[in-house]
mmCIF file of all heavy atoms in Angstrom:
data_model
loop_
_atom_site.group_PDB
_atom_site.id
_atom_site.type_symbol
_atom_site.label_atom_id
_atom_site.label_comp_id
_atom_site.label_asym_id
_atom_site.label_seq_id
_atom_site.Cartn_x
_atom_site.Cartn_y
_atom_site.Cartn_z
ATOM 1 N N LEU A 50 -69.353 67.546 -62.524
ATOM 2 C CA LEU A 50 -69.553 68.215 -63.818
ATOM 3 C C LEU A 50 -68.397 67.947 -64.788
ATOM 4 O O LEU A 50 -68.614 67.656 -65.960
ATOM 5 C CB LEU A 50 -69.760 69.727 -63.614
ATOM 6 C CG LEU A 50 -69.972 70.550 -64.883
ATOM 7 C CD1 LEU A 50 -71.151 70.041 -65.706
ATOM 8 C CD2 LEU A 50 -70.191 72.019 -64.544
ATOM 9 N N ASN A 51 -67.168 68.005 -64.280
ATOM 10 C CA ASN A 51 -66.029 67.841 -65.205
ATOM 11 C C ASN A 51 -65.633 66.373 -65.410
ATOM 12 O O ASN A 51 -64.643 66.075 -66.065
ATOM 13 C CB ASN A 51 -64.828 68.666 -64.726
ATOM 14 C CG ASN A 51 -64.409 68.254 -63.322
ATOM 15 O OD1 ASN A 51 -64.967 67.296 -62.775
ATOM 16 N ND2 ASN A 51 -63.450 68.952 -62.736
ATOM 17 N N LYS A 52 -66.437 65.464 -64.858
ATOM 18 C CA LYS A 52 -66.093 64.034 -65.033
ATOM 19 C C LYS A 52 -66.968 63.374 -66.096
ATOM 20 O O LYS A 52 -66.856 62.186 -66.364
ATOM 21 C CB LYS A 52 -66.274 63.304 -63.698
ATOM 22 C CG LYS A 52 -65.342 63.861 -62.622
ATOM 23 C CD LYS A 52 -65.290 62.959 -61.413
ATOM 24 C CE LYS A 52 -64.234 63.485 -60.444
ATOM 25 N NZ LYS A 52 -64.794 63.981 -59.222
ATOM 26 N N ILE A 53 -67.873 64.175 -66.654
ATOM 27 C CA ILE A 53 -68.831 63.620 -67.608
ATOM 28 C C ILE A 53 -68.636 64.252 -68.977
ATOM 29 O O ILE A 53 -68.371 65.448 -69.075
ATOM 30 C CB ILE A 53 -70.255 63.895 -67.098
ATOM 31 C CG1 ILE A 53 -70.519 62.978 -65.915
ATOM 32 C CG2 ILE A 53 -71.321 63.661 -68.159
ATOM 33 C CD1 ILE A 53 -71.589 63.450 -65.044
ATOM 34 N N THR A 54 -68.768 63.437 -70.033
ATOM 35 C CA THR A 54 -68.710 64.005 -71.376
ATOM 36 C C THR A 54 -70.125 64.400 -71.771
ATOM 37 O O THR A 54 -71.019 63.547 -71.859
ATOM 38 C CB THR A 54 -68.147 62.969 -72.379
ATOM 39 O OG1 THR A 54 -66.885 62.520 -71.870
ATOM 40 C CG2 THR A 54 -67.977 63.571 -73.757
ATOM 41 N N LEU A 55 -70.310 65.696 -71.956
ATOM 42 C CA LEU A 55 -71.654 66.204 -72.243
ATOM 43 C C LEU A 55 -71.894 66.289 -73.750
ATOM 44 O O LEU A 55 -71.030 66.767 -74.493
ATOM 45 C CB LEU A 55 -71.836 67.581 -71.612
ATOM 46 C CG LEU A 55 -71.825 67.593 -70.080
ATOM 47 C CD1 LEU A 55 -71.663 69.015 -69.550
ATOM 48 C CD2 LEU A 55 -73.100 66.960 -69.526
ATOM 49 N N ILE A 56 -73.070 65.817 -74.165
ATOM 50 C CA ILE A 56 -73.415 65.848 -75.596
ATOM 51 C C ILE A 56 -74.788 66.507 -75.738
ATOM 52 O O ILE A 56 -75.742 66.071 -75.100
ATOM 53 C CB ILE A 56 -73.506 64.406 -76.183
ATOM 54 C CG1 ILE A 56 -72.243 63.594 -75.858
ATOM 55 C CG2 ILE A 56 -73.776 64.443 -77.679
ATOM 56 C CD1 ILE A 56 -72.339 62.115 -76.228
ATOM 57 N N PRO A 57 -74.897 67.559 -76.564
ATOM 58 C CA PRO A 57 -76.222 68.156 -76.736
ATOM 59 C C PRO A 57 -77.127 67.231 -77.558
ATOM 60 O O PRO A 57 -76.699 66.686 -78.574
ATOM 61 C CB PRO A 57 -75.939 69.458 -77.503
ATOM 62 C CG PRO A 57 -74.628 69.242 -78.165
ATOM 63 C CD PRO A 57 -73.858 68.234 -77.369
ATOM 64 N N ALA A 58 -78.338 67.020 -77.072
ATOM 65 C CA ALA A 58 -79.291 66.179 -77.820
ATOM 66 C C ALA A 58 -80.699 66.461 -77.327
ATOM 67 O O ALA A 58 -80.884 66.863 -76.178
ATOM 68 C CB ALA A 58 -78.963 64.691 -77.623
ATOM 69 N N ASP A 59 -81.641 66.252 -78.203
ATOM 70 C CA ASP A 59 -83.046 66.450 -77.819
ATOM 71 C C ASP A 59 -83.823 65.204 -78.241
ATOM 72 O O ASP A 59 -83.631 64.701 -79.355
ATOM 73 C CB ASP A 59 -83.603 67.699 -78.527
ATOM 74 C CG ASP A 59 -84.886 68.169 -77.878
ATOM 75 O OD1 ASP A 59 -85.889 67.403 -77.876
ATOM 76 O OD2 ASP A 59 -84.903 69.289 -77.358
ATOM 77 N N LEU A 60 -84.685 64.727 -77.377
ATOM 78 C CA LEU A 60 -85.431 63.502 -77.674
ATOM 79 C C LEU A 60 -86.376 63.649 -78.859
ATOM 80 O O LEU A 60 -86.846 62.663 -79.406
ATOM 81 C CB LEU A 60 -86.189 63.007 -76.435
ATOM 82 C CG LEU A 60 -85.519 61.790 -75.793
ATOM 83 C CD1 LEU A 60 -84.183 62.130 -75.183
ATOM 84 C CD2 LEU A 60 -86.415 61.168 -74.742
ATOM 85 N N SER A 61 -86.659 64.891 -79.231
ATOM 86 C CA SER A 61 -87.550 65.077 -80.381
ATOM 87 C C SER A 61 -86.758 65.144 -81.689
ATOM 88 O O SER A 61 -87.348 65.305 -82.756
ATOM 89 C CB SER A 61 -88.385 66.347 -80.190
ATOM 90 O OG SER A 61 -87.524 67.461 -80.094
ATOM 91 N N ASP A 62 -85.453 65.018 -81.611
ATOM 92 C CA ASP A 62 -84.605 65.165 -82.798
ATOM 93 C C ASP A 62 -83.757 63.909 -83.004
ATOM 94 O O ASP A 62 -82.754 63.692 -82.311
ATOM 95 C CB ASP A 62 -83.709 66.404 -82.619
ATOM 96 C CG ASP A 62 -82.871 66.682 -83.839
ATOM 97 O OD1 ASP A 62 -81.981 65.864 -84.161
ATOM 98 O OD2 ASP A 62 -83.097 67.717 -84.485
ATOM 99 N N THR A 63 -84.157 63.086 -83.971
ATOM 100 C CA THR A 63 -83.504 61.786 -84.176
ATOM 101 C C THR A 63 -82.015 61.929 -84.486
ATOM 102 O O THR A 63 -81.197 61.155 -83.980
ATOM 103 C CB THR A 63 -84.195 61.017 -85.331
ATOM 104 O OG1 THR A 63 -85.593 61.036 -85.095
ATOM 105 C CG2 THR A 63 -83.720 59.583 -85.414
ATOM 106 N N SER A 64 -81.657 62.927 -85.313
ATOM 107 C CA SER A 64 -80.240 63.070 -85.694
ATOM 108 C C SER A 64 -79.378 63.304 -84.472
ATOM 109 O O SER A 64 -78.271 62.753 -84.359
ATOM 110 C CB SER A 64 -80.040 64.240 -86.646
ATOM 111 O OG SER A 64 -81.041 64.279 -87.580
ATOM 112 N N SER A 65 -79.859 64.131 -83.544
ATOM 113 C CA SER A 65 -79.045 64.424 -82.362
ATOM 114 C C SER A 65 -78.887 63.166 -81.488
ATOM 115 O O SER A 65 -77.839 62.950 -80.877
ATOM 116 C CB SER A 65 -79.636 65.576 -81.549
ATOM 117 O OG SER A 65 -80.848 65.200 -80.924
ATOM 118 N N LEU A 66 -79.900 62.313 -81.464
ATOM 119 C CA LEU A 66 -79.801 61.074 -80.668
ATOM 120 C C LEU A 66 -78.825 60.099 -81.330
ATOM 121 O O LEU A 66 -78.013 59.451 -80.659
ATOM 122 C CB LEU A 66 -81.175 60.408 -80.520
ATOM 123 C CG LEU A 66 -82.267 61.258 -79.842
ATOM 124 C CD1 LEU A 66 -83.545 60.461 -79.678
ATOM 125 C CD2 LEU A 66 -81.794 61.773 -78.484
ATOM 126 N N LEU A 67 -78.906 60.052 -82.649
ATOM 127 C CA LEU A 67 -77.999 59.179 -83.395
ATOM 128 C C LEU A 67 -76.562 59.618 -83.144
ATOM 129 O O LEU A 67 -75.668 58.788 -82.918
ATOM 130 C CB LEU A 67 -78.347 59.267 -84.887
ATOM 131 C CG LEU A 67 -77.647 58.293 -85.817
ATOM 132 C CD1 LEU A 67 -77.878 56.859 -85.389
ATOM 133 C CD2 LEU A 67 -78.165 58.483 -87.246
ATOM 134 N N GLU A 68 -76.362 60.927 -83.151
ATOM 135 C CA GLU A 68 -75.015 61.453 -82.918
ATOM 136 C C GLU A 68 -74.543 61.109 -81.496
ATOM 137 O O GLU A 68 -73.410 60.689 -81.291
ATOM 138 C CB GLU A 68 -75.007 62.963 -83.114
ATOM 139 C CG GLU A 68 -73.600 63.502 -83.236
ATOM 140 C CD GLU A 68 -73.573 64.830 -83.979
ATOM 141 O OE1 GLU A 68 -73.879 65.854 -83.347
ATOM 142 O OE2 GLU A 68 -73.263 64.809 -85.175
ATOM 143 N N ALA A 69 -75.458 61.245 -80.526
ATOM 144 C CA ALA A 69 -75.089 60.930 -79.133
ATOM 145 C C ALA A 69 -74.680 59.457 -79.015
ATOM 146 O O ALA A 69 -73.723 59.118 -78.310
ATOM 147 C CB ALA A 69 -76.261 61.234 -78.201
ATOM 148 N N VAL A 70 -75.384 58.596 -79.723
ATOM 149 C CA VAL A 70 -75.070 57.160 -79.645
ATOM 150 C C VAL A 70 -73.753 56.870 -80.366
ATOM 151 O O VAL A 70 -72.902 56.117 -79.858
ATOM 152 C CB VAL A 70 -76.231 56.304 -80.220
ATOM 153 C CG1 VAL A 70 -75.832 54.833 -80.297
ATOM 154 C CG2 VAL A 70 -77.482 56.467 -79.362
ATOM 155 N N THR A 71 -73.535 57.471 -81.511
ATOM 156 C CA THR A 71 -72.287 57.171 -82.227
ATOM 157 C C THR A 71 -71.070 57.759 -81.495
ATOM 158 O O THR A 71 -70.023 57.129 -81.431
ATOM 159 C CB THR A 71 -72.321 57.656 -83.702
ATOM 160 O OG1 THR A 71 -72.809 58.990 -83.717
ATOM 161 C CG2 THR A 71 -73.222 56.804 -84.548
ATOM 162 N N ILE A 72 -71.228 58.953 -80.906
ATOM 163 C CA ILE A 72 -70.101 59.548 -80.170
ATOM 164 C C ILE A 72 -69.751 58.695 -78.949
ATOM 165 O O ILE A 72 -68.589 58.415 -78.676
ATOM 166 C CB ILE A 72 -70.440 60.992 -79.711
ATOM 167 C CG1 ILE A 72 -70.474 61.947 -80.896
ATOM 168 C CG2 ILE A 72 -69.421 61.500 -78.671
ATOM 169 C CD1 ILE A 72 -71.003 63.335 -80.553
ATOM 170 N N SER A 73 -70.775 58.267 -78.221
ATOM 171 C CA SER A 73 -70.498 57.563 -76.946
ATOM 172 C C SER A 73 -70.276 56.064 -77.149
ATOM 173 O O SER A 73 -69.645 55.414 -76.306
ATOM 174 C CB SER A 73 -71.649 57.780 -75.964
ATOM 175 O OG SER A 73 -72.873 57.376 -76.537
ATOM 176 N N ASP A 74 -70.825 55.507 -78.230
ATOM 177 C CA ASP A 74 -70.720 54.070 -78.509
ATOM 178 C C ASP A 74 -70.935 53.256 -77.208
ATOM 179 O O ASP A 74 -70.050 52.503 -76.782
ATOM 180 C CB ASP A 74 -69.340 53.766 -79.114
ATOM 181 C CG ASP A 74 -69.304 52.376 -79.726
ATOM 182 O OD1 ASP A 74 -70.386 51.833 -80.018
ATOM 183 O OD2 ASP A 74 -68.198 51.815 -79.857
ATOM 184 N N PRO A 75 -72.102 53.403 -76.598
ATOM 185 C CA PRO A 75 -72.281 52.891 -75.230
ATOM 186 C C PRO A 75 -72.581 51.396 -75.143
ATOM 187 O O PRO A 75 -73.114 50.799 -76.082
ATOM 188 C CB PRO A 75 -73.508 53.679 -74.751
ATOM 189 C CG PRO A 75 -74.304 53.876 -76.000
ATOM 190 C CD PRO A 75 -73.324 54.018 -77.127
ATOM 191 N N HIS A 76 -72.245 50.832 -73.987
ATOM 192 C CA HIS A 76 -72.710 49.473 -73.670
ATOM 193 C C HIS A 76 -74.130 49.557 -73.100
ATOM 194 O O HIS A 76 -74.925 48.648 -73.246
ATOM 195 C CB HIS A 76 -71.793 48.823 -72.631
ATOM 196 C CG HIS A 76 -70.379 48.669 -73.102
ATOM 197 N ND1 HIS A 76 -69.395 49.597 -72.850
ATOM 198 C CD2 HIS A 76 -69.802 47.685 -73.832
ATOM 199 C CE1 HIS A 76 -68.262 49.190 -73.389
ATOM 200 N NE2 HIS A 76 -68.474 48.040 -73.994
ATOM 201 N N GLU A 77 -74.397 50.667 -72.388
ATOM 202 C CA GLU A 77 -75.696 50.825 -71.728
ATOM 203 C C GLU A 77 -76.241 52.232 -71.990
ATOM 204 O O GLU A 77 -75.501 53.209 -71.876
ATOM 205 C CB GLU A 77 -75.544 50.637 -70.207
ATOM 206 C CG GLU A 77 -75.070 49.239 -69.834
ATOM 207 C CD GLU A 77 -74.709 49.108 -68.344
ATOM 208 O OE1 GLU A 77 -74.924 50.062 -67.562
ATOM 209 O OE2 GLU A 77 -74.191 48.031 -67.975
ATOM 210 N N ILE A 78 -77.540 52.309 -72.304
ATOM 211 C CA ILE A 78 -78.212 53.616 -72.412
ATOM 212 C C ILE A 78 -79.275 53.683 -71.316
ATOM 213 O O ILE A 78 -80.091 52.764 -71.170
ATOM 214 C CB ILE A 78 -78.892 53.809 -73.780
ATOM 215 C CG1 ILE A 78 -77.859 53.841 -74.913
ATOM 216 C CG2 ILE A 78 -79.721 55.107 -73.797
ATOM 217 C CD1 ILE A 78 -78.452 53.968 -76.318
ATOM 218 N N TYR A 79 -79.246 54.767 -70.545
ATOM 219 C CA TYR A 79 -80.283 55.008 -69.537
ATOM 220 C C TYR A 79 -81.112 56.177 -70.042
ATOM 221 O O TYR A 79 -80.626 57.315 -70.051
ATOM 222 C CB TYR A 79 -79.648 55.341 -68.178
ATOM 223 C CG TYR A 79 -78.865 54.183 -67.582
ATOM 224 C CD1 TYR A 79 -77.536 53.949 -67.937
ATOM 225 C CD2 TYR A 79 -79.469 53.325 -66.666
ATOM 226 C CE1 TYR A 79 -76.822 52.887 -67.391
ATOM 227 C CE2 TYR A 79 -78.763 52.259 -66.107
ATOM 228 C CZ TYR A 79 -77.439 52.044 -66.474
ATOM 229 O OH TYR A 79 -76.731 50.996 -65.932
ATOM 230 N N ASN A 80 -82.337 55.906 -70.458
ATOM 231 C CA ASN A 80 -83.162 56.969 -71.034
ATOM 232 C C ASN A 80 -84.007 57.648 -69.949
ATOM 233 O O ASN A 80 -85.148 57.267 -69.690
ATOM 234 C CB ASN A 80 -84.067 56.417 -72.137
ATOM 235 C CG ASN A 80 -84.848 57.524 -72.813
ATOM 236 O OD1 ASN A 80 -84.369 58.675 -72.910
ATOM 237 N ND2 ASN A 80 -86.047 57.225 -73.271
ATOM 238 N N LEU A 81 -83.416 58.663 -69.329
ATOM 239 C CA LEU A 81 -84.088 59.374 -68.234
ATOM 240 C C LEU A 81 -84.736 60.670 -68.703
ATOM 241 O O LEU A 81 -85.538 61.262 -67.973
ATOM 242 C CB LEU A 81 -83.076 59.703 -67.122
ATOM 243 C CG LEU A 81 -82.232 58.550 -66.586
ATOM 244 C CD1 LEU A 81 -81.409 59.022 -65.392
ATOM 245 C CD2 LEU A 81 -83.093 57.369 -66.180
ATOM 246 N N ALA A 82 -84.379 61.139 -69.883
ATOM 247 C CA ALA A 82 -84.916 62.427 -70.336
ATOM 248 C C ALA A 82 -86.414 62.328 -70.573
ATOM 249 O O ALA A 82 -86.908 61.331 -71.094
ATOM 250 C CB ALA A 82 -84.217 62.861 -71.627
#
Side-chain angles (χ1 to χ4, degrees):
L50 180 57
N51 58 5
K52 298 193 174 113
I53 287 159
T54 306
L55 294 166
I56 308 172
D59 196 298
L60 255 68
S61 61
D62 184 294
T63 311
S64 318
S65 69
L66 301 184
L67 188 56
E68 195 157 80
V70 173
T71 47
I72 289 171
S73 56
D74 194 20
H76 298 94
E77 297 171 6
I78 295 177
Y79 295 85
N80 184 31
L81 308 186

